[in-house]
Amino acid sequence: MQFADIQEARDFLAANPEVRSIELMLIDANGVPRGKLLHRDELLAIYQNGRPLPSSILALTMQGEDVEATGLVWEVADADCWTYPLPGSLTLQPWRNTPTGQLQVSMHPTQGQPAAPADPRHALVRVIERLEADGFHPVMAVELEFYLLDKQRDANGRPQPAMQMNGVRPEAPQVYGVYELEQVQPFLDDLYAACEVQGLPVRTAISEYAPGQLELTLEHRFDALQAVDEGVRYKRLVRGVANKHGLQACFMAKPFGDRAGSGMHLHVSLADEQGNNLYASEDPQGTPLLRHSIGGMMATLLDSLAIFCPNANSFRRFQANSYAPLAKSWGVNNRTVSFRVPGGPAVSRHIEHRICGADANPYLAAAAILAGIHHGIREQIDPGAAIVGNGYEQATEFLPTDWLTALRALEASTWAREALGEEFLKVFLAIKKTEYRQFMAEVGEQDWRWYLNHA
């Protein structure tokens, strides 16, 4: 685990004398940023001595409630655990009304005990180090879809797509529409500007397959950990810029039943120590190494589905002919499969993993993907024939579409315990089982609509 040098903090304070507050954030198991708002006078001490945060900060549900079964609350007396700054994470939050900094921290492997094993970033570091020890250097890019919503709800109290600049609320998908991008130009201008300030490599903006749905791509990085760090910070930035514009950025996997879901597509390849793409091939199906990588991801897909789809809402995204995958399948230049090998020149050959919802924790999703790839390479797993044509019609082995089945598969997986760590898995499963029980215990509108008068 590499932490930042204090010179970063000195340079930041000297260059930004107007900054009085700094948001310190740690990413929890759900991918939620949690932390504190600090005064600038506290910054140097964090670089020198770390910053204590309670062990329970990594034992929280999506609602921010303690989960005692994690073992990180009362039985360890909610102990202080030391965090340290990550290199390159100290920057400005341009969307704030007053000049404010941002600093991402991670648990120290030893001083961060007992919470350190529950830090999701550690799980990814562990997997990357194992790959690199075998001579494989993962290259990744993060691609996130989201809805831009009004903060004001509709007449029924439900979320609704943001009003366009022309005063019209969008209703049609208008996928790839350039006019739709023009209608959110002020938001996009501020988003690109904020990304430039934070050094985030955001590139193409696309109007996706639903009114108010957008996707902006992040450039690939030869350092997979850097790519995922940037994906996490980008998600925080999108929410902040949207809030500045009086809007809400929604990363739910399926916020609307009759509209497209939002995915997080992770692009991955493996390079050698010199940066040469080990998947590169004139064959569109790539090298044997690429195919073994897909075989490993397919073999571990059920075990890791609760990582890729971590919430009850995640599973509503899985519908036929929806651009969300439904089966263990792969293909070349095919958006109806789970593992897509995009077209393009040989040197760009890579895999697009299309399973994750936009609600997945990028650290955990990347860790599970890379661990699956490593498993496939070591066992030389054949993925079978590539799907040609409509993958929905040709699917033979479907994914489960319910949360509990996925959680049970993760809990029973010896591969997951080895890949992600026994201690981490204990915490993650305790949190998700608690959320499952809470979710199933809540009686809501659909129950009343279906059963109130007729059950």
Side-chain angles (χ1 to χ4, degrees):
M1 182 66 66
Q2 184 181 13
F3 295 113
D5 187 271
I6 192 172
Q7 192 58 44
E8 283 191 20
R10 292 185 179 125
D11 292 344
F12 178 86
L13 293 173
N16 300 281
E18 73 284 0
V19 169
R20 288 289 173 268
S21 299
I22 297 163
E23 180 183 282
L24 178 145
M25 67 175 187
L26 174 76
I27 306 302
D28 75 2
N30 279 309
V32 176
R34 302 193 185 275
K36 301 181 177 184
L37 194 63
L38 308 175
H39 190 274
R40 67 179 281 129
D41 292 345
E42 300 176 89
L43 185 63
L44 292 179
I46 298 172
Y47 280 76
Q48 291 171 323
N49 307 310
R51 181 77 185 200
L53 292 173
S55 58
S56 60
I57 199 170
L58 289 176
L60 301 173
T61 67
M62 189 70 80
Q63 300 296 316
E65 300 168 330
D66 287 340
V67 178
E68 294 180 28
T70 60
L72 295 177
V73 189
W74 307 126
E75 64 187 77
V76 295
D78 200 10
D80 274 342
C81 304
W82 262 255
T83 64
Y84 283 81
L86 298 178
S89 69
L90 180 58
T91 183
L92 295 171
Q93 291 186 332
W95 58 86
R96 294 272 196 169
N97 290 329
T98 57
T100 304
Q102 176 180 295
L103 177 66
Q104 186 179 352
V105 297
S106 183
M107 286 286 171
H108 191 281
T110 56
Q111 298 175 34
Q113 296 293 341
D119 187 331
R121 192 175 186 271
H122 287 215
L124 177 55
V125 170
R126 169 192 175 104
V127 174
I128 290 174
E129 287 177 346
R130 288 183 170 187
L131 272 168
E132 290 179 344
D134 282 354
F136 304 114
H137 298 262
V139 177
M140 296 196 83
V142 180
E143 202 175 90
L144 275 162
E145 297 167 338
F146 63 94
Y147 276 87
L148 202 57
L149 307 176
D150 270 349
K151 286 187 178 177
Q152 182 178 347
R153 301 294 180 91
D154 68 13
N156 296 313
R158 296 171 180 167
Q160 56 185 342
M163 190 78 74
Q164 296 180 142
M165 286 174 59
N166 60 8
V168 175
R169 194 176 308 283
E171 295 182 0
Q174 294 297 354
V175 64
Y176 307 128
V178 292
Y179 179 75
E180 282 63 37
L181 294 177
E182 179 185 340
Q183 292 303 305
V184 292
Q185 191 68 45
F187 166 77
L188 289 176
D189 286 347
D190 278 356
L191 190 148
Y192 275 109
C195 285
E196 187 173 345
V197 168
Q198 292 202 347
L200 300 179
V202 173
R203 297 296 182 257
T204 305
I206 302 168
S207 175
E208 275 291 347
Y209 200 72
Q213 190 184 37
L214 300 169
E215 176 190 88
L216 284 85
T217 59
L218 289 166
E219 193 172 272
H220 73 276
R221 295 294 197 185
F222 285 97
D223 179 343
L225 186 60
Q226 178 187 1
V228 181
D229 280 338
E230 290 174 344
V232 166
R233 293 166 198 163
Y234 167 74
K235 200 169 181 180
R236 172 70 185 97
L237 181 149
V238 172
R239 291 187 189 278
V241 173
N243 188 59
K244 175 185 176 182
H245 284 262
L247 305 171
Q248 181 178 11
C250 172
F251 291 91
M252 286 177 63
K254 189 73 170 176
F256 304 102
D258 58 347
R259 293 172 180 168
S262 292
M264 178 175 67
H265 299 161
L266 293 172
H267 296 251
V268 61
S269 61
L270 296 178
D272 63 19
E273 197 168 351
Q274 288 73 44
N276 300 305
N277 185 1
L278 297 174
Y279 289 169
S281 172
E282 294 298 337
D283 183 346
Q285 295 192 10
T287 59
L289 187 73
L290 182 150
R291 292 191 287 277
H292 292 153
S293 298
I294 293 175
M297 288 190 290
M298 291 175 72
T300 58
L301 180 52
L302 178 57
D303 295 29
S304 48
L305 190 61
I307 298 290
F308 303 144
C309 305
N311 305 306
N313 180 261
S314 308
F315 293 87
R316 299 191 189 280
R317 178 170 157 263
F318 293 129
Q319 298 179 15
N321 304 318
S322 67
Y323 293 105
L326 294 171
K328 290 184 180 180
S329 56
W330 76 285
V332 176
N333 197 16
N334 189 331
R335 287 186 169 86
T336 69
V337 298
S338 298
F339 308 108
R340 170 179 175 253
V341 180
V347 71
S348 71
R349 199 73 66 227
H350 69 278
I351 304 163
E352 180 187 18
H353 184 283
R354 298 174 58 81
I355 300 290
C356 300
D359 56 343
N361 183 328
Y363 289 125
L364 300 182
I369 288 169
L370 294 179
I373 286 173
H374 204 181
H375 175 68
I377 292 170
R378 285 181 166 176
E379 301 297 325
Q380 296 193 336
I381 299 174
D382 182 358
I387 294 289
V388 177
N390 189 340
Y392 294 111
E393 292 181 348
Q394 300 176 54
T396 57
E397 192 174 354
F398 290 92
L399 300 175
T401 55
D402 70 283
W403 197 12
L404 184 58
T405 299
L407 288 173
R408 285 174 173 166
L410 178 62
E411 185 173 26
S413 173
T414 54
W415 167 83
R417 285 196 294 274
E418 171 63 19
L420 302 176
E422 184 101 37
E423 293 178 272
F424 171 79
L425 208 56
K426 173 194 170 184
V427 171
F428 182 81
L429 284 167
I431 291 170
K432 288 302 167 184
K433 286 180 180 179
T434 298
E435 290 180 351
Y436 174 80
R437 288 191 296 269
Q438 290 176 341
F439 188 90
M440 294 304 295
E442 186 170 324
V443 177
E445 180 185 331
Q446 184 175 12
D447 294 71
W448 299 324
R449 193 173 66 249
W450 279 40
Y451 307 119
L452 183 64
N453 296 320
H454 303 291

